[in-house]
Amino acid sequence: MSGRTRWGIVGTGGISRATVGDLHLAEDLDLVAVASRHEQTAAAFAAAHEVPRWYGDVDALLAADDVDVVYLCTPIGTHADLARRALLAGKHVLVEKALASTADEARSLAALAAEQGRFLMEAMWMRFNPAVRRVLADVADGRIGEVRSVRASFGFPPPPGTAPWQPGGGGALLDMGVYPLTLAHLLFGVPTAVEATGEVRADGVDLTASVFLRYGDDRFAALLTSLRSVVGAGADIGGTDGAITLDAPFFATGSLSVLSASSRRPDRVELPLEGNGYVPMFRAVAEAVADGLLEHADRPLRDTIAVLDTIDLVRARLLAAAQV
Ligand SMILES: NC(=O)c1ccc[n+]([C@@H]2O[C@H](COP(=O)([O-])OP(=O)(O)OC[C@H]3O[C@@H](n4cnc5c(N)ncnc54)[C@H](OP(=O)(O)O)[C@@H]3O)[C@@H](O)[C@H]2O)c1
């Protein structure tokens, strides 16, 4: 395939509404269809957001010949099944975070995508955010010396009226903790030790997790996520010669500051977002698919699966402590 790719959105909820404008903004892709489980909802979304075609049935969109890439914007507990159906229908698939509910589900999807010769990626827009890219480049250049610590948090209670989390459908860790955990993995890789404490609902849904990751030396990451209270959304990366602070929300920020050990005031860096901040990811995926790639080099499936492995371990620690 070369040139423009044709995209279809599955789901018409919060993230579909947040990203549809950015899909229109991204070059090299055409948003051609949306699918909902309900005809009226699909039609209303298509009319409100200038999407040419709509389907009141997800499988009808998956069967459409003129859709190349399916963007799954449905609840986490549906991702594994819908992504599998989309891949089997021959589509390239971009899946909202978290890619799946467990690392094993994600491994199965990765194997299927390879077998089908189709692109698959978790929509980890943080990896394509210009400020986060700047941090990774600065760290690689040694701007803050040797990085020793990551501190990051993200969490807030669900707004009244939103659907409660279901067992197997993701809790705080998959819904919000995935960002702090991904940031730690981007900077340090796979931890050698995982400690966690938190709060788990009686049915096993994780509500709060305070996570401490070690890396076989003195480096560590201290991470916090919660569905029970607002725990902030900042991130600090500490090094031997300085520190970088990503302003909240760190995974979608337009600004950061760099404090060096020798200066009293941090250097401010502003990197404004395009649209709602999803454009760089959509552009990167569209280019990768058009180039015939099955994964994006900046967000390969093995990295996504490694984060899910850590989340599985953290969840197991919480469940063991709660004796659920
Ligand atoms: N990247 C970000 O900034 C960001 C922010 C928020 C959420 N998310 C992620 O986006 C995904 C969706 O979250 P959301 O907040 O948009 O949720 P949401 O508002 O509940 O919307 C999800 C939509 O999925 C569809 N859906 C629900 N259950 C389904 C099922 N069983 N099978 C097929 N479709 C189903 C529904 O659309 P229809 O009624 O039209 O079928 C629903 O409106 C999650 O993975 C979440 O983690 C990402």
Side-chain angles (χ1 to χ4, degrees):
M1 184 186 304
S2 65
R4 302 185 74 79
T5 46
R6 299 161 298 180
W7 289 45
I9 303 178
V10 175
T12 59
I15 191 60
S16 302
R17 289 191 297 275
T19 56
V20 62
D22 285 12
L23 284 163
H24 284 307
L25 280 178
E27 313 84 357
D28 296 338
L29 77 84
D30 291 313
L31 177 58
V32 297
V34 60
S36 164
R37 294 161 302 165
H38 315 285
E39 300 236 341
Q40 274 188 335
T41 319
F45 187 95
H49 301 288
E50 297 175 30
V51 185
R53 270 183 303 110
W54 54 266
Y55 299 94
D57 169 16
V58 174
D59 287 309
L61 182 144
L62 300 184
D65 285 339
D66 59 350
V67 172
D68 308 307
V69 180
V70 167
Y71 175 34
L72 281 185
C73 295
T74 59
I76 295 167
T78 67
H79 289 178
D81 177 54
L82 287 173
R84 187 183 58 80
R85 280 154 55 189
L87 289 167
L88 288 173
K91 303 305 181 197
H92 305 286
V93 190
L94 177 65
V95 186
E96 256 311 325
K97 54 78 185 166
L99 175 63
S101 301
T102 64
D104 278 348
E105 277 185 5
R107 270 188 268 275
S108 299
L109 289 178
L112 180 62
E115 218 173 277
Q116 295 288 109
R118 291 295 179 269
F119 181 93
L120 176 67
M121 195 182 94
E122 178 187 62
M124 183 43 71
W125 58 317
M126 175 176 79
R127 179 62 185 84
F128 301 89
N129 171 283
V132 172
R133 280 195 182 285
R134 170 70 69 91
V135 169
L136 297 176
D138 281 355
V139 162
D141 289 348
R143 183 155 184 211
I144 57 168
E146 192 184 326
V147 178
R148 310 299 304 164
S149 65
V150 176
R151 189 212 58 77
S153 38
F154 181 47
F156 58 88
T162 51
W165 272 259
Q166 302 295 333
L173 282 163
L174 287 170
D175 195 59
M176 302 198 238
V178 68
Y179 290 120
L181 279 147
T182 297
L183 184 69
H185 271 252
L186 282 173
L187 287 154
F188 289 155
V190 176
T192 52
V194 175
E195 294 166 26
T197 185
E199 202 183 352
V200 179
R201 217 165 60 180
D203 60 6
V205 171
D206 52 283
L207 300 174
T208 299
S210 173
V211 180
F212 198 80
L213 305 177
R214 299 179 192 276
Y215 297 90
D217 47 25
D218 292 334
R219 295 176 304 154
F220 68 89
L223 314 170
L224 182 60
T225 187
S226 184
L227 297 174
R228 295 273 275 174
S229 60
V230 182
V231 298
D236 298 294
I237 295 136
T240 48
D241 295 336
I244 301 176
T245 297
L246 282 160
D247 294 336
F250 70 87
F251 49 84
T253 191
S255 55
L256 60 100
S257 49
V258 184
L259 181 66
S260 79
S262 56
S263 74
R264 289 188 176 191
R265 286 181 187 278
D267 288 340
R268 292 280 302 159
V269 181
E270 307 282 339
L271 291 161
L273 300 179
E274 279 182 85
N276 283 339
Y278 304 91
V279 177
M281 173 183 70
F282 292 141
R283 184 183 293 138
V285 171
E287 280 174 12
V289 173
D291 287 347
L293 301 178
L294 301 188
E295 299 194 34
H296 195 285
D298 288 340
R299 201 61 202 146
L301 288 163
R302 66 173 178 278
D303 289 359
T304 300
I305 291 168
V307 172
L308 286 169
D309 273 325
T310 302
I311 288 178
D312 284 351
L313 276 174
V314 170
R315 196 190 300 107
R317 304 268 189 280
L318 299 185
L319 291 173
Q323 296 184 322
V324 170

